[in-house]
Amino acid sequence: MTDYGRPLQFGYFFNPDASNYPELLRLARLVDDLGLDLIGIQDHPYQRRFFDTWTLLTAIATQTEHVRVFPDVANLPLRPPAVLAKAAATLDLISNGRFELGLGAGAFWEAIGAMGGPVRQPKEAVAALEEAIHVIRLMWSNQRSAQYDGQYYRLHGVHPGPVPAHAIGIWLGVIGPKMLALTGRLADGWIPSSFYVPADHLPEMQQRIDDAATAAGRNLSAIQRLYNVGGRITDGPSTGFLEGPVSQWVDTLTKLTLESGMDSYIFASNDDLDTQLRRFALEVAPQVRENVARHRV
């Protein structure tokens, strides 16, 4: 049983559909008005039906007041880390500290290669992601100049800046053993998806993160544990994982928090979005918070 005692957060996973920008802004404002904590947007630049994630994040940040935004997760092979860091710091300043950085090593390598990006083997992807984390943090520093000599990324006397408005978290969307160890050693958060990581796999993966964090002398509660969850809130009986009534959602997310160590839930749904978002924000989230608080006393 693992509960790291972190505050619970709830958010919405955006589909950056390029066919209806006004609707995306309307949904973003609804998420903000409902008091949800986070908006995450997937980053697949090679997908012709999608907006560019970074541009859309900026638009949403300027049209909202409270909700925090992040790429879920940024495609590292197509976004050089030094430039990514500057863009992140800029958006954090524009949004008054409402930006976090979800980061991935890359997937769909054929599509990445078709767009001119590097096609990496798993070992290379791990090494490149670790280098990118160091480069990004150097670019957020207030050093007069930065040097970094990696195999995949280099800095040679660049002048970092601007400094972000707050300490931006780097949340890794990774699943392999070496990637999980990297998360434990260096990252501020971990963000798997229920589409790829079933709930019963979470404890084993959390243990890999924790083992690496402990070896690095880190506090386990310093690492945020987010979970992209797809499903549908209904008024009928449960028909599967997070496919059922509010009570099922509340019980499941409470259990994931207290037994699997997750602390943030990013809701993905394509069905009757207004109703689903309202039920998630106004019915599910408050009850999960109440349940968890009661167990933590």
Side-chain angles (χ1 to χ4, degrees):
M1 187 169 181
T2 302
D3 174 19
Y4 302 96
R6 292 184 58 95
L8 290 177
Q9 296 184 21
F10 297 86
Y12 175 58
F13 181 84
F14 256 72
N15 179 10
D17 181 2
S19 68
N20 197 340
Y21 174 62
E23 174 64 7
L24 292 180
L25 283 187
R26 188 192 68 79
L27 285 171
R29 294 188 189 106
L30 176 60
V31 170
D32 199 35
D33 291 342
L34 289 171
L36 289 170
D37 305 289
L38 297 161
I39 287 176
I41 302 180
Q42 58 187 297
D43 185 28
H44 298 287
Y46 37 76
Q47 171 55 265
R48 69 181 182 86
R49 294 186 298 273
F50 285 178
F51 278 127
D52 170 66
T53 293
W54 214 271
T55 309
L56 184 57
L57 283 167
T58 303
I60 286 174
T62 61
Q63 295 289 321
T64 53
E65 296 182 4
H66 309 291
V67 70
R68 289 151 61 218
V69 301
F70 69 102
D72 192 358
V73 289
N75 192 309
L76 176 63
L78 292 174
R79 299 189 184 274
V83 178
L84 185 67
K86 191 173 186 78
T90 299
L91 184 46
D92 197 51
L93 289 164
I94 289 172
S95 65
N96 293 316
R98 292 188 291 119
F99 178 80
E100 308 294 345
L101 180 57
L103 187 62
F108 307 105
W109 291 105
E110 184 177 349
I112 289 170
M115 207 170 186
V119 177
R120 292 174 175 147
Q121 297 302 311
K123 184 177 180 180
E124 296 172 328
V126 175
L129 183 58
E130 179 166 356
E131 289 184 11
I133 293 171
H134 291 301
V135 166
I136 289 167
R137 288 184 172 146
L138 281 170
M139 291 298 296
W140 287 341
S141 74
N142 59 3
Q143 297 178 201
R144 183 170 182 176
S145 66
Q147 300 279 347
Y148 186 82
D149 190 16
Q151 180 178 353
Y152 301 96
Y153 301 114
R154 299 170 184 83
L155 301 175
H156 297 305
V158 64
H159 302 298
V163 175
H166 86 298
I168 296 174
I170 297 178
W171 303 338
L172 300 187
V174 297
I175 57 176
K178 292 182 178 178
M179 292 290 196
L180 294 171
L182 175 61
T183 302
R185 285 190 290 112
L186 290 179
D188 303 299
W190 177 47
I191 182 162
S193 298
S194 64
F195 320 106
Y196 303 110
V197 179
D200 60 354
H201 291 193
L202 291 172
E204 178 186 353
M205 299 173 84
Q206 293 275 41
Q207 191 60 55
R208 290 184 183 275
I209 293 172
D210 290 354
D211 288 347
T214 300
R218 302 186 67 196
N219 185 334
L220 302 185
S221 64
I223 302 170
Q224 189 165 348
R225 328 278 175 135
L226 307 94
Y227 200 22
N228 294 318
V229 291
R232 185 168 178 265
I233 304 168
T234 71
D235 290 316
S238 171
T239 58
F241 179 73
L242 295 180
E243 294 282 345
V246 167
S247 59
Q248 182 207 14
W249 279 77
V250 171
D251 290 347
T252 300
L253 299 190
T254 299
K255 184 177 179 180
L256 285 171
T257 302
L258 298 174
E259 298 183 10
S260 298
M262 307 311 290
D263 57 66
S264 304
Y265 301 97
I266 315 301
F267 176 45
S269 177
N270 293 316
D271 179 57
D272 190 13
L273 276 182
D274 282 42
T275 299
Q276 292 289 300
L277 276 171
R278 291 181 188 279
R279 300 197 74 177
F280 183 70
L282 303 178
E283 299 179 50
V284 174
Q287 292 186 58
V288 176
R289 285 194 168 102
E290 182 180 337
N291 280 359
V292 171
R294 186 168 59 249
H295 281 85
R296 285 177 174 174
V297 172

